[in-house]
Amino acid sequence: MTKATRKALTLQTQDSLLIAKHSRLGYFTAIKRTKASYWADFLAKTSTQNIWTAKQFIANRKTFPSLPGASDPVTINKALLAPFFPSKDPLPSRGCLSQDPSGDHLTRDEIRDPLSKSSPSSAPGPNGIPYFVWKKVNLINPWVRLDLLSPLVAFGYHPPSLKNANGVILDKSGKASYNSPASFRIMVLLKTVSKILERVMTVRMSAIARSMGLLHPNQYGSLPGLSSLDACLTLTHKVRILQRPRVRVSTLFNNIKAGFDNVNASSLRALPLAKRTPYHMVDWVSSCLSGRSCTLVLQGTPNLPAPVLVGSPQGSPISPLLLLLYLAPLHCAIPRGIMLSYVHDFSITMASDSHQGNNCCLQRVFVDISEGGRDQGVSFSLAKTKLIHWRPPSQRTPQATTLIELAGHLFHP
């Protein structure tokens, strides 16, 4: 199928396209038959040991959440909106729009690159237009979207028609019960044309953030060339440097609770303005985060759009970068150690003569960044906090068991 598809894309003849179509049909038909054959064989060999596994495979999944006091889709819709999209004060009105002369127009390459990385099977937003439609438009007339999106960049404006989204309710696996909104999460589906523009602005904002020092050097993730592997290698390299005879090294791992949902647009706007970031970029980010709405999709949905006055939308290509900019002030210098972060996951590494000394230093730093987080409107999740006492391979002493106390909770290493 892959060979036939590549050949059809190269030749673009009627015969090659027909062969590619039949190859694709045969491929998925073979998968369907193999699944049916495997399932029949599995049932034929069912015993008392795996009968419940078979029952789990055919059990019906929940069609929509069942919450206390909410018996119909309308009340369920309201019960889910309250914790996910709490009411907050909206951003102040911007006033009249003005064009920024420094706002460069979009180029064909800037549009083509995010399109090439977009999956045709990605779920579209409320308008139902998938990426492959825009790919065909780009082949026929690439200037259409340039004329549509370039003025938005120059004026620093994201129109309301691109800021409504669908929210699909998904249950979190492994929960003891599903009678609380915390047992579910919302998958936000944005309009594909909006995500194309957001990908372009992400690339531009990333370059500006790096050149103007809006990001901390120890921040990783959601940036080109700074992956999770880079963060892991940096951490292990620093630990090995700190490990010397009679020196103990410890690391505390923390996670920002609901990081995307707690991004304050007003505070975020002040950070790039302080570094003299181009006004059209700052205005566009503020416009993108304000006036959003989300319609929950569930069985019998009332299709009621709810205003979203908190955070940056999960599922948006630019949201991870905005979260990095928002959390950058939490980073601080550590004399005998290092603080690293991967998006909203933080690690604090300390070195001293004892693990007890490390714990005291880690407690002080944790209190400092927790207070800084409160000023930013974010907090750390104690449930996801982990402590590691590092041991070099040559160390033969017993493993360290020193505990650490944070906010009245004890954590074992």
Side-chain angles (χ1 to χ4, degrees):
M1 183 196 72
T2 304
K3 289 181 179 179
T5 302
R6 288 175 178 170
K7 189 175 181 180
L9 291 174
T10 304
L11 300 178
Q12 291 291 327
T13 61
Q14 190 69 24
D15 291 340
S16 62
L17 293 173
L18 186 62
I19 293 174
K21 180 179 179 180
H22 286 297
S23 300
R24 180 179 177 85
L25 180 62
Y27 172 68
F28 287 105
T29 301
I31 289 180
K32 187 176 181 180
R33 289 175 179 172
T34 305
K35 284 184 176 181
S37 175
Y38 180 85
W39 178 241
D41 182 66
F42 179 82
L43 291 181
K45 298 177 181 178
T46 300
S47 63
T48 54
Q49 282 75 30
N50 63 357
I51 184 65
W52 294 109
T53 303
K55 179 182 182 300
Q56 186 179 9
F57 285 157
I58 64 173
N60 291 326
R61 293 180 61 84
K62 295 176 286 298
T63 53
F64 58 89
S66 177
L67 304 176
S71 56
D72 58 90
V74 176
T75 54
I76 291 174
N77 189 77
K78 292 181 179 179
L80 287 172
L81 287 173
F84 284 113
F85 306 123
S87 178
K88 286 191 177 183
D89 295 332
L91 281 173
S93 177
R94 177 179 169 183
C96 296
L97 296 178
S98 59
Q99 186 174 359
D100 188 348
S102 64
D104 296 331
H105 285 269
L106 301 181
T107 64
R108 295 178 61 178
D109 291 339
E110 285 184 305
I111 294 292
R112 184 176 63 248
D113 290 344
L115 264 182
S116 63
K117 300 175 183 178
S118 303
S119 172
S121 60
S122 179
N127 58 9
I129 301 177
Y131 280 115
F132 74 82
V133 172
W134 295 114
K135 290 186 178 184
K136 288 185 177 295
V137 170
N138 195 57
L139 290 174
I140 298 171
N141 188 348
W143 303 107
V144 170
R145 275 171 315 154
L146 289 176
D147 294 339
L148 282 173
L149 302 180
S150 288
L152 302 180
V153 178
F155 281 89
Y157 181 68
H158 202 65
S161 59
L162 300 184
K163 292 190 283 190
N164 54 336
N166 286 340
V168 180
I169 309 299
L170 302 177
D171 52 289
K172 298 179 181 178
S173 60
K175 294 293 182 179
S177 63
Y178 291 88
N179 56 2
S180 168
S183 302
F184 301 89
R185 61 189 178 95
I186 294 182
M187 179 70 71
V188 178
L189 303 180
L190 306 172
K191 293 182 178 179
T192 50
V193 63
S194 176
K195 294 176 74 173
I196 293 171
L197 176 60
E198 290 166 24
R199 289 182 190 275
V200 174
M201 299 301 283
T202 300
V203 175
R204 288 191 174 189
M205 194 67 186
S206 176
I208 293 174
R210 284 181 163 180
S211 62
M212 295 190 170
L214 293 171
L215 297 170
H216 195 276
N218 292 338
Q219 284 184 289
Y220 295 84
S222 304
L223 294 170
L226 294 175
S227 64
S228 57
L229 179 61
D230 296 303
C232 292
L233 291 176
T234 303
L235 176 60
T236 54
H237 176 69
K238 186 65 176 180
V239 168
R240 286 168 180 164
I241 290 177
L242 294 172
Q243 282 179 331
R244 297 190 303 274
R246 294 181 295 278
V247 175
R248 303 291 180 257
V249 183
S250 305
T251 300
L252 184 69
F253 294 90
N254 304 107
N255 177 274
I256 295 288
K257 186 188 301 181
F260 291 98
D261 297 336
N262 290 304
V263 173
N264 186 292
S266 298
S267 301
L268 178 64
R269 178 183 175 84
L271 295 174
L273 281 178
K275 297 286 186 176
R276 297 184 179 181
T277 303
Y279 279 101
H280 71 277
M281 295 294 295
V282 181
D283 289 338
W284 182 87
V285 170
S286 299
S287 177
C288 182
L289 296 181
S290 62
R292 306 196 71 91
S293 64
C294 183
T295 303
L296 297 188
V297 179
L298 63 156
Q299 188 178 21
T301 178
N303 287 324
L304 298 175
V308 180
L309 303 176
V310 294
S312 57
Q314 292 199 42
S316 170
I318 200 171
S319 287
L321 176 60
L322 297 181
L323 182 60
L324 288 179
L325 296 174
Y326 193 68
L327 298 179
L330 297 184
H331 278 261
C332 60
I334 301 176
R336 296 187 66 184
I338 189 172
M339 179 186 293
L340 303 173
S341 68
Y342 181 82
V343 191
H344 51 70
D345 295 311
F346 280 72
S347 71
I348 310 167
T349 302
M350 290 287 186
S352 69
D353 298 334
S354 65
H355 293 118
Q356 187 63 43
N358 289 342
N359 287 352
C360 293
C361 295
L362 290 172
Q363 287 171 335
R364 288 197 298 268
V365 176
F366 179 78
V367 170
D368 291 340
I369 63 173
S370 296
E371 291 177 354
R374 280 193 289 271
D375 296 337
Q376 294 282 87
V378 298
S379 60
F380 289 92
S381 174
L382 291 176
K384 297 181 179 180
T385 299
K386 302 292 182 184
L387 173 67
I388 287 182
H389 294 315
W390 301 97
R391 285 161 47 93
S394 59
Q395 186 173 339
R396 295 292 181 263
T397 58
Q399 292 186 6
T401 58
T402 308
L403 310 180
I404 189 171
E405 182 180 355
L406 301 172
H409 294 78
L410 289 175
F411 296 92
H412 293 264

